[in-house]
Amino acid sequence: MDTEKPDLLHALEHYQQRYNWDCGLSCVLMVLPIKSRNYIINNFKQVVEEEGFGESTWTIDLCFLLHRFQTKFSYLTVTIGIDPGYIRENFYDKVLSKDSHRVNQRFSDAESLGMHLEKKSVPVKEIMERLKAGPIIALVNISVFRVL
């Protein structure tokens, strides 16, 4: 008798990013209910403008989108706010001064809006446990990511 647990699958519809800056937004589109996903797709420029992130989407922006469309989530991060080390990275040094006030304000507002944000590093074992409850969006800094 096979005692291994069967694979757990979450049915998600793939959504390919349109631009070089919307990978996180594409991930959010994959976990949203179809009605919410279609609303964003059909009103893309309007939603981006309303959310205020333009072509510079930070993870906290994705949290606000999930919250806007009433999708339950937990945001676990090693840094609450903007990591000061980002100033040394080419991508971030171009957008940091433009985005820092908005991003920090969103972090400040998140808890009062009922969003669950927690400062912590997440081990692979915990990621696997959380995956049992539903899809996970795991955004990593590729320059520091290591395969275990």
Side-chain angles (χ1 to χ4, degrees), residues 140-146:
V140 298
N141 182 337
I142 195 65
S143 66
V144 297
F145 182 72
R146 295 181 305 230

Side-chain angles (χ1 to χ4, degrees), residues 63-75:
C63 294
F64 271 73
L65 271 176
L66 291 167
H67 179 72
R68 175 177 174 173
F69 291 96
Q70 301 167 351
T71 301
K72 185 179 174 186
F73 67 93
S74 294
Y75 176 29

Side-chain angles (χ1 to χ4, degrees), residues 64 98 103 115 121 129 131 137 140:
F64 271 73
K98 177 179 73 76
V103 170
M115 294 183 215
S121 180
E129 284 300 312
L131 187 56
I137 297 173
V140 298

Side-chain angles (χ1 to χ4, degrees), residues 2-3 6-7 36 46 66 71 77 83 88 106 116 131 137 139:
D2 186 13
T3 59
D7 290 338
S36 300
Q46 175 187 335
L66 291 167
T71 301
T77 180
D83 184 333
R88 293 185 298 275
R106 286 192 149 195
H116 176 242
L131 187 56
I137 297 173
L139 302 175

